[in-house]
Structures are given as C-alpha cells and as structure tokens.
Amino acid sequence: MTTTTLPLGEVRRACIALVGPPNCGKTTLFNTLTGGRQKTANYPGVTVERKSGRLRTPVGHTVELLDLPGSYSLRARSPDEAITRDVVLGRQTREALPDAVVCVTDATNLGQHLRLLLELRQLGRPLILALNMMDIAQKRGCQISIEALSQQLGIPVVATIAMHKNGVQDLLGQIDILLSQTSATSKAATIDTWMEPSPEAIRAYHREVERLLQEAVIQEGAPERFTRQVDQILLHPVAGLLILLGILFLMFQAVFSWAEAPMDWIDGSMASLQQWLSMHMADSLLKSLVIDGIIAGAGGVVIFLPQILILFLFILLLEDFGYMARAAFLMDRLMSAVGLNGRAFIPLLSSFACAIPGIMAARTIAHPLDRLTTILIAPLMTCSARLPVYALLIGAFVPARSVGPFDLRGLTLFGLYVAGVLSAMAVAFAFKRIWLKSHYQPLMLELPPYRMPSLRNLLIGLWERARIFLRRVGGIIFTVMVLLWFLSSWPAPPHGASGPAIQYSLAGQIGQALQHLFAPIGFNWQISIALVPGLAAREVAVAALGTVYALSGDEGTVTEALTTTLAHGWTLATALALLAWYVFAPQCLATLAAARRETNSWRWPTFMFVYLMVLAYLAAFITYRVALALGGG
Amino acid sequence: MNSYNEQKHRFDPSQPGSLGLTQPLGQMQRGSTGRILAVSGSAGDRNIERGLLEMGFVEGACIEVLHHGFLGQDPLAVRINQTMTIALRRCEANAVLVGPLHDAAVDTKPGMTLEYASS
C-alpha cells in the first residue's frame, strides 16, 4: 500500500456506496470514515434520507461516501430498500452510478450476510468486501482467512473494526487501489439485465455461501450467549412487557426531571438578556420587537431543546443497543390486534420525538396500506413539540406533589402520552379493520445481538437532531414569531383605551373572531390567537402565548411568568380542554408536508388534517364540559 | 468445538421435534430444535418463500424456537444456525417444515451445521 500523495492532476473525485444488511454496523463505519463531515438530504421524490459524507483517501482522492439503507437482498421489499437497489444499479434519478461499492458484513454472521455480497458481485461492478466487527468475531475464537475469502470471491476483502479509527485504514487503502485501477466508469452489461433472484437463485446463493465459508473459515467462533441470556428476560411474555413499559415510563420521567437544570439555565440567561437590553436600548418599536417578539419568542422554544435531546438520547440508545426490534417483537401481538404489525411500533415510537422522522421511518413497512395507516396515526403519538405546551399547562395547573415514588406532574404527562397511544390504536383499528380492510400482513424481523452503543454515533445523532430543531426555531418558528409580534402590536390601541394593547391589534381581532368557534370548548381569545401561529409548529403556541401575554402587560421571564399568569387567568376546565385539544390537534404544517411527500398526494394529508381536527374539537369539548360539570370552572 | 458441547441441547422425548416427526415451524414448542426440511410458499405468490429464504430459513439450516409472544401466541423468535434470531408469526412459520435435528440423510452435510451432528 502506498501512502505517498498523488500529484494534483491524478487525484480523482469518486462516489462510493456503502451497502450492507441491517445490523452489520454500517452506519458506525460510515460515521468513523466521514466523522462530522456529513450531509443529510432526501432523494428526489421520496423521503428516504440520503446520507453522504466526504473523505480523503491516503493518496489524496476525494471520495463522496453514500450510506445506503440496509437491505438483506437487492430484491427490494420496502421503499428504502428500493433506493439501495436503484442506486447500486444506477437507476436512481439524479444519482450517478457509484464508482465502487463497499459491501459491509458482520463477521460474526457471515453465513447470512454474504448472500447480499454475492448478489452485488453478480453485477460485475467494482466491489470491496468489508468484514466488520472482526474484533468481536476474534474474541469469540473465530478465525477467517481473508486471503482465501478474497481469492474465492475474486474481490478485495478487508477486515474493519468500525468502532476504532485505525480499524479502517486497510479499507481506505483498498479504495485507493480500486480507484487507481478503474478509471472510466463503464456500465457493465449485467447491470441492465438484472432481475430479481428467484427462490431457486436464493437457494443457490445459500449453497455458495456455505462453500465459501468452508474454504475461508479456519475456526468457527462460539455462538453469542449474552444476547440469548438477556433475551430470556427482555423477551419474556410478561416480564418483557413490564420492562418495556418501565423503560418508556423512565424515559418520560427523565424528560421532565433531568431537563430541569439546563432549562432553568436557558430561562435565566434569556431573562438577563432581556433585562440587559431593556436597560441599554432606547424605547422604540425595535426594542419591543427584539425583547417581546424575538427573544420571548425564540427563547420560549429554545428552552425545550434539553427535553428534546433527552428524548432522542433514549431513542438513539435503544436503537443502538438493539432493543427497538425487541420492542417490535413484544408489541406485535398488540399491534396485530388493531391490524398493524410490530414493525409499525418503531416508526410510532420515533414519533414520540417527532412525527416527521416517524412518518419517514414508516417506509420500512413493506405493505402500502399498513404504511399509510402508520403515517396517519403517527401524529397521535405525543411528539416532543407538544411537550412545551404540556409542560407549560401541567406546570401551571398540576401541583408539584409526589404520589408514592412518582411526581404527580410526571404522572399527568405519562397519562397524556397514554391517551395519545390509546387513541392511535383506536384510529388504527377503525382504519384497518373497518374502513380499509386490508389483508393480513406478515412480520419478519431480525432481532440483532445486543451491542454497546458507540458514544461517537450517539453524539453525531444528537447533534443532528439539535441542528434540525434549532434550524426550525431559526426558520419557520422565528418568522412566525416576528409576524405574530407585528400582528399583535399593530394597529396601536386608540388613545385612552383601557384594555391591554393586544386586544386592539390585528391578532386580537382574529382571536376574538375565532373565539366564537372555540368558546364551546372553553378557549379564551388569547388561546385562540396562539392557535393560529401554532399551526406552523405546535411549540410555537407556547411562544405565542408568551408574546400575547407579554404584550398584555406582563413582564418578567418567559415561561415562569407565563405559568403564573395562566394559573390565575384560566380555569382548570380550560387548561384540561387545551391539553385534550393538543393530544389530537394537527398543529404542524411540517408533519402534513411530510405526509404529502410520503403518500405523494394531497388526499391523505388533507384527510389527516380533517380527522385530527374533528377529534381534537370533540375531545376538547367533552373534556371541558365534563370538567365544568365536576366543578373545574 | 468445546463451546458447542457446552451449549448441547438436551433432547426431551416429549418434544415432537426430537422424536423424528416432521412438523411446521409454527407448531413447534418453545425451546425445541430441529432442522429445516423444506421451505414452501403458496403456488401463486412465492414472496413469502423468498422472504423466508432471505432471512436465512433454508433447507438444512438448524433452528431453535427461543421465545413465544404474549400468552404463548404470536410472534415466534427463532434462532437460525445459532447466529441470527428472527421474529416471525406462526402463519409464515408454517411455510417452514422442520424435521429432527439428527437425520442421517442430512447429517452428512458439511459446513456450519456440523456442530449439531457432533453434539
């Protein structure tokens, strides 16, 4: 292997695709190879995430590395597996045929993972086999002859340890050698004549893999026992379900209690920034915009970043441990009762963080109707954007008492999540069993071995979520806040007016008009105003309430003051009705947009909007009336 | 091969899988083992068959039923060749026909499945 850099003229720009079965450690390898230099976008026309990263090989070639969705076979069974197939075959629009493919396999599971490599080899394109997790295989006493395997396959084979930076040097070296050999990218004829393998062809691949392993495996490793033992407990029909519930419960408790300190800190710094500005800026329209519009608005949203990160921390950890598939296994029985399969549990669980990745994750569901139903009920899973609203109202109306070892506020929050899940199940049942009446759908899911999550993966994942959230704050939410500030401060109140200024503004007028619609469910005009910008994104409603009340004459810190204001200004019935509203309300344009992209029509997002709106109104109405009757007025 | 001896399956004669009977995977008891004799799908739609083959259910592979779902119902968790664990429902599992682990006709087959023969 040469490590001298090439002269500038000979340096190439190449595109290399990473392909591999699910759970082969492909993403970890991708993260190690590209580090922080990653870009996430979408493939045109579909919402399958296109993850790419840049790297420089030892001799100086620039490589764009493409992380393709995991797939057991080129016979695609779901939309994201179809992307893998199409990119590899050069059929994906606006995506060049990769100069080479790196097929990543788990060295501890070669018997199952080599079939995909054989399918890829059939295409006759430049190919490298990466035996990932060689360290784990060796620890179990497994010895593989890389030379024999490479000779038998007729392609370069390298051992990689994705977790360690130096475990990928050989791979980079092989990429260099391959790039210097293949200059022009000529399409092999086999690529155009590719056909889905028949059952007989798959059996032949099985036999070929067995032959290869006989040639190349010197010593077989001991089977993994840790996973087996842990599964005795985690997949236990009763204990396993209780543990799953416990994990979910712990997750929501943590979201509340762990986030407290950083939230106080953000809150405090926003308040002191406001104070500092109000002392140092001359009274003007600009001052009002900066303090009441921008800082109050953005601050009211940024403050929820800690909670969102904690939620994602749990979801990423569970995914990396390999627990998510177990959750799907445990939930399959329940999901099939409403006509879905356990696989739908994963997108639905991600929807607790945000419905958009949830809706996107639904692409792993092969059957179109199952996928559609999952997309339609995803917004019913309480997403993190609803947390600000819940947190505010619970903070204002539920006393911070402890009930046994638990916090009453945490319990209330848990109850709201359960309400969301139960209604999602009911809606799924209505869709699948009564209305769409789809046929039975199979479940086939690998339960991967438990693995220690890598800190690096976790940090990259969290950083990506934080970036997306803050970009939303900076983009839609910020624009809406400034617009709302304008609506709330213009026109100025007439001279000698007695009410708060906002009552005379455009926003006040819209709110008062909407109030007639919302009066039966107990919403006052302030809420009605906040619901309008809240349509852009749910968390905006809190910021909007902040703006509305700040301009109504209340000073002080953003959320804390709002809590007190609400506790005095609203009845319990109103607060409960608003909570019930938010369990259902389709208050997120981005979710509707994601649903539109995924279903490729406006029909289903429109349907989603209407059915959620009707449910929200009904739920709020019933809650309000019942609460009033019980004396919550 | 020591590791396999530690993992040796004790065969309970009450388990049909070790009695020499053949039965669909979907009807096997929790904890029972066997060797796949046939993977078949419905005549018109071979996608279930292909799906099973792609997940590692192939003739000659050794399987062990590790877990059942809630109340002993769907789904099953099945370990294939001691390496990969797959969750599937009984309905699909019934397309897999399983015979006893010890079968002279298949035991001569070399490769990954050898350890079962020696245990």
Side-chain angles (χ1 to χ4, degrees):
Chain A
M1 192 191 316
T2 166
T3 41
T4 45
T5 24
L6 289 172
L8 211 61
E10 288 172 44
V11 164
R12 288 186 59 196
R13 296 177 64 92
C15 174
I16 290 179
L18 276 187
V19 183
N23 313 308
C24 66
K26 184 168 58 64
T27 300
T28 313
L29 186 63
F30 177 75
N31 284 341
T32 310
L33 284 168
T34 61
R37 294 150 299 174
Q38 295 181 11
K39 245 172 50 185
T40 22
N42 283 337
Y43 288 100
V46 286
T47 352
V48 177
E49 226 169 50
R50 181 191 188 275
K51 264 174 91 179
S52 65
R54 210 146 268 183
L55 65 93
R56 195 176 280 275
T57 63
V59 297
H61 296 304
T62 312
V63 169
E64 197 204 6
L65 198 66
L66 204 54
D67 186 17
L68 292 176
S71 185
Y72 292 103
S73 153
L74 286 185
R75 181 179 78 95
R77 284 182 286 177
S78 61
D80 62 338
E81 290 181 2
I83 289 286
T84 301
R85 177 197 62 202
D86 290 347
V87 170
V88 166
L89 294 177
R91 295 178 185 175
Q92 180 68 34
T93 43
R94 271 186 275 164
E95 193 75 65
L97 180 68
D99 295 289
V101 170
V102 174
C103 180
V104 188
T105 53
D106 175 355
T108 64
N109 195 8
L110 279 185
Q112 305 296 342
H113 281 184
L114 277 182
R115 282 196 309 279
L116 179 66
L117 176 96
L118 293 179
E119 278 193 56
L120 288 167
R121 195 182 59 164
Q122 206 80 49
L123 302 177
R125 299 277 310 151
L127 182 64
I128 299 174
L129 169 62
L131 297 179
N132 206 7
M133 307 199 208
M134 266 310 257
D135 49 338
I136 301 176
Q138 278 160 359
K139 239 179 251 165
R140 292 208 212 130
C142 174
Q143 283 178 47
I144 301 167
S145 162
I146 290 180
E147 295 75 32
L149 198 56
S150 172
Q151 205 179 4
Q152 289 291 325
L153 287 168
I155 60 163
V157 178
V158 286
T160 53
I161 302 162
M163 291 274 203
H164 308 293
K165 190 94 194 163
N166 54 4
V168 298
Q169 283 312 312
D170 284 355
L171 178 59
L172 289 176
Q174 282 300 340
I175 288 176
D176 266 338
I177 294 171
L178 212 61
L179 286 182
S180 52
Q181 285 167 352
T182 55
S183 44
T185 49
S186 56
K187 245 183 164 183
T190 40
I191 258 187
D192 295 317
T193 55
W194 179 84
M195 267 167 49
E196 282 192 354
S198 64
E200 288 70 31
I202 304 172
R203 285 190 174 91
Y205 284 136
H206 268 284
R207 283 193 295 273
E208 173 68 3
V209 167
E210 201 157 318
R211 189 190 69 80
L212 284 169
L213 291 181
Q214 252 195 294
E215 297 285 339
V217 176
I218 302 160
Q219 171 78 51
E220 283 204 41
E224 214 237 6
R225 295 162 71 192
F226 175 72
T227 298
R228 217 186 140 103
Q229 283 157 0
V230 172
D231 273 344
Q232 294 289 346
I233 304 159
L234 290 188
L235 289 186
H236 189 272
V238 180
L241 272 176
L242 290 178
I243 291 169
L244 174 62
L245 273 183
I247 290 174
L248 295 182
F249 190 78
L250 176 80
M251 186 161 117
F252 299 128
Q253 285 279 327
V255 163
F256 242 67
S257 51
W258 297 1
E260 221 166 290
M263 285 172 79
D264 283 347
W265 182 80
I266 295 177
D267 198 25
S269 34
M270 284 293 173
S272 35
L273 184 64
Q274 276 178 316
Q275 246 168 15
W276 186 84
L277 281 174
S278 62
M279 281 196 307
H280 290 83
M281 275 178 81
D283 272 333
S284 66
L285 210 59
L286 183 69
K287 180 179 175 179
S288 163
L289 171 67
V290 171
I291 293 175
D292 295 324
I294 298 174
I295 298 181
V301 181
V302 172
I303 195 167
F304 296 102
L305 186 61
Q307 289 189 330
I308 286 163
L309 286 184
I310 290 172
L311 194 71
F312 270 114
L313 176 73
F314 270 87
I315 286 182
L316 288 172
L317 268 178
L318 291 178
E319 234 163 53
D320 286 2
F321 266 124
Y323 185 76
M324 280 300 201
R326 268 79 186 178
F329 176 87
L330 290 167
M331 297 308 285
D332 183 62
R333 189 74 199 90
L334 188 68
M335 305 290 279
S336 68
V338 298
L340 292 171
N341 78 33
R343 230 176 234 280
F345 183 72
I346 298 166
L348 292 179
L349 194 58
S350 321
S351 301
F352 281 119
C354 176
I356 296 164
I359 285 173
M360 284 163 59
R363 64 187 184 232
T364 54
I365 300 170
H367 193 269
L369 276 186
D370 274 21
R371 187 156 165 254
L372 180 64
T373 311
T374 309
I375 290 173
L376 286 177
I377 64 171
L380 283 173
M381 300 291 133
T382 303
C383 68
S384 53
R386 260 175 278 199
L387 268 179
V389 184
Y390 287 174
L392 178 73
L393 295 180
I394 290 173
F397 291 94
V398 179
R401 262 209 331 255
S402 40
V403 181
F406 306 119
D407 173 36
L408 183 60
R409 290 177 171 174
L411 277 179
T412 312
L413 185 71
F414 188 64
L416 286 167
Y417 275 86
V418 171
V421 173
L422 290 181
S423 36
M425 293 297 118
V427 170
F429 184 81
F431 283 155
K432 284 278 297 190
R433 286 293 167 92
I434 299 167
W435 190 34
L436 297 172
K437 277 201 190 124
S438 85
H439 291 293
Y440 168 84
Q441 274 308 304
L443 168 91
M444 262 183 244
L445 184 69
E446 181 184 354
L447 303 176
Y450 291 108
R451 293 226 169 86
M452 209 51 205
S454 105
L455 187 64
R456 187 193 183 87
N457 269 2
L458 211 61
L459 289 179
I460 288 179
L462 280 180
W463 165 240
E464 220 167 72
R465 307 299 155 190
R467 219 172 44 186
I468 291 169
F469 178 75
L470 289 176
R471 206 187 289 148
R472 281 181 72 193
V473 174
I476 312 175
I477 300 175
F478 182 77
T479 317
V480 170
M481 293 328 298
V482 174
L483 184 70
L484 186 73
W485 167 84
F486 170 76
L487 287 176
S488 326
S489 31
W490 192 88
H495 283 292
S498 52
I502 191 169
Q503 212 168 323
Y504 305 95
S505 67
L506 278 176
Q509 287 161 27
I510 298 173
Q512 273 150 13
L514 279 177
Q515 197 193 356
H516 299 295
L517 187 64
F518 288 122
I521 57 174
F523 292 1
N524 58 23
W525 64 268
Q526 289 95 335
I527 301 177
S528 307
I529 294 175
L531 289 183
V532 177
L535 198 64
R538 292 183 185 91
E539 59 269 46
V540 178
V542 169
L545 277 174
T547 314
V548 170
Y549 278 103
L551 294 185
S552 299
D554 293 301
E555 291 294 329
T557 58
V558 188
T559 319
E560 215 167 297
L562 197 54
T563 308
T564 337
T565 312
L566 296 190
H568 290 110
W570 295 2
T571 62
L572 182 61
T574 295
L576 291 178
L578 189 59
L579 283 176
W581 168 270
Y582 265 99
V583 169
F584 298 100
Q587 299 255 301
C588 179
L589 290 179
T591 301
L592 294 170
R596 140 102 190 98
R597 273 184 313 195
E598 288 289 326
T599 59
N600 217 5
S601 83
W602 277 111
R603 186 168 155 222
W604 292 110
T606 310
F607 173 76
M608 186 196 259
F609 183 81
V610 172
Y611 104 81
L612 287 173
M613 208 52 135
V614 169
L615 281 184
Y617 197 90
L618 281 179
F621 183 80
I622 293 167
T623 309
Y624 185 62
R625 294 294 150 183
V626 169
L628 275 188
L630 294 175
Chain B
M1 288 291 156
N2 287 334
S3 49
Y4 289 117
N5 291 332
E6 283 169 33
Q7 285 256 313
K8 191 160 60 182
H9 302 287
R10 274 185 210 95
F11 294 110
D12 177 359
S14 68
Q15 281 177 18
S18 45
L19 260 183
L21 297 175
T22 59
Q23 59 179 341
L25 175 60
Q27 286 170 23
M28 286 175 72
Q29 299 286 317
R30 192 172 114 84
S32 57
T33 52
R35 193 189 291 277
I36 296 177
L37 295 178
V39 179
S40 56
S42 58
D45 175 20
R46 300 191 77 183
N47 276 340
I48 293 275
E49 182 183 353
R50 282 205 278 195
L52 286 165
L53 285 167
E54 280 164 3
M55 298 305 270
F57 291 95
V58 69
E59 286 82 0
C62 298
I63 54 106
E64 178 180 5
V65 180
L66 289 185
H67 303 279
H68 283 171
F70 192 52
L71 296 175
Q73 297 187 28
D74 274 335
L76 309 173
V78 181
R79 199 149 171 90
I80 305 172
N81 284 335
Q82 299 227 38
T83 49
M84 195 163 162
T85 310
I86 304 291
L88 78 173
R89 294 194 187 144
R90 283 174 202 277
C91 180
E92 290 84 60
N94 281 336
V96 178
L97 193 67
V98 181
L101 210 47
H102 295 275
D103 189 326
V106 213
D107 265 357
T108 50
K109 221 171 133 78
M112 316 195 46
T113 50
L114 204 74
E115 70 272 11
Y116 284 89
S118 65
S119 66

